[in-house]
Amino acid sequence: MATCPAGHSSADDEYCDTCGLAVDAATPPPPSPLPSPLPSPLPSPPPPPRPLDEPVPGRDACPACRAPLQGRFCEECGHDNALPPPDPRPDERRPDPAPPSAPAPTGAVWRAVVRADRTWFDVVRGRRGPDVDQVEFPRYCPDRTFELTGDRMAIGRRSRSRGTDPEIDLSGPPLDPGVSAQHALLLARADGGWEVVDLDSTNGTSLGDSTALLRPHTPVRLADGDRIRLGAWTTVTIEVARPGTGPGQSR
């Protein structure tokens, strides 16, 4: 009996009775192993989180409050500066700056005329604030005129308990309940003009036709004809005139 290269016993000494291989052929090489599949690439690990005390590149001031940045979170307002800048609240957007006005003529007199403004009253009622339905527009409120003198003129309500005695006293009658005891301030400029500053009043201060509130403690330049709107229905109109023009009740 012959044995073929595959290990079969065969009666034929030339070719295997089982597989047909030549009995004297060389032993065939073992089959090549199948190639192993290539390993799938591992996903890249996510970048490590930015440390809380690491400043955000390209930002040296907080976009929310403009305070200097020492780390990722603003120490003044807490804004996360790794996020996009926040949109300002509607009541904190400053009105568009007015075009530069011509300087007042030499010897000009600045006056503040206080009026009850029905249009402003309707705007305030439209905000639907607390107790708005209990506020009524005054049936009679004569205009009051105050000449602007000195370095500053306070706008508010006289209060013995708080020790306030503003130059532009809006304590009435009639009383505007939306005016704070220390509401706003008129500041004289070196060039002869004036600015208005909201003193972080409860109900805020607006300028012109804008319903946006002025940012507290931020001076805004005034021009002839500007209307400062405050309280529930009070408008303070700025007028510039030469001495002796127009009647007025100055204090």
Side-chain angles (χ1 to χ4, degrees):
M1 298 291 288
T3 302
C4 76
H8 302 135
S9 297
S10 173
D12 190 338
D13 57 0
E14 293 185 5
Y15 296 96
C16 177
D17 296 335
T18 301
C19 62
L21 289 175
V23 172
D24 58 353
T27 304
S32 302
L34 296 176
S36 59
L38 296 176
S40 301
L42 296 177
S44 301
R50 187 182 301 278
L52 298 183
D53 58 350
E54 179 181 339
V56 177
R59 289 189 181 175
D60 55 1
C62 174
C65 69
R66 307 308 304 168
L69 281 180
Q70 302 297 329
R72 172 176 164 181
F73 289 89
C74 177
E75 296 182 0
E76 293 293 332
C77 66
H79 175 67
D80 184 353
N81 285 276
L83 302 177
D87 292 331
R89 295 185 304 172
D91 61 347
E92 289 186 352
R93 293 174 184 159
R94 295 190 59 184
D96 295 334
S101 55
T106 305
V109 176
W110 289 67
R111 299 190 180 101
V113 182
V114 179
R115 298 184 175 95
D117 188 337
R118 182 71 195 215
T119 301
W120 176 237
F121 175 74
D122 293 338
V123 171
V124 174
R125 286 181 62 89
R127 293 175 176 173
R128 307 303 302 173
D131 302 327
V132 66
D133 294 330
Q134 301 178 18
V135 180
E136 297 182 357
F137 188 76
R139 299 179 60 186
Y140 176 71
C141 182
D143 293 355
R144 288 167 289 172
T145 302
F146 301 85
E147 183 175 332
L148 304 189
T149 59
D151 295 332
R152 59 184 59 198
M153 299 278 288
I155 302 175
R157 292 187 289 108
R158 184 184 296 109
S159 173
R160 291 183 178 179
S161 60
R162 298 186 181 184
T164 59
D165 187 15
E167 287 78 13
I168 301 179
D169 182 17
L170 304 181
S171 55
L175 171 65
D176 185 337
V179 175
S180 300
Q182 300 182 60
H183 198 108
L185 194 64
L186 299 179
L187 297 176
R189 294 173 52 90
D191 59 4
W194 287 78
E195 297 172 326
V196 61
V197 181
D198 179 77
L199 299 179
D200 200 12
S201 57
T202 301
N203 298 309
T205 304
S206 297
L207 184 63
D209 294 329
S210 174
T211 58
L213 301 180
L214 299 181
R215 191 178 298 276
H217 308 299
T218 303
V220 178
R221 186 169 185 172
L222 296 170
D224 186 16
D226 278 347
R227 290 174 300 138
I228 304 169
R229 306 200 292 183
L230 63 160
W233 39 259
T234 300
T235 296
V236 181
T237 303
I238 301 301
E239 297 181 355
V240 183
R242 292 185 178 278
T245 57
Q249 173 193 352
S250 15
R251 176 175 172 166

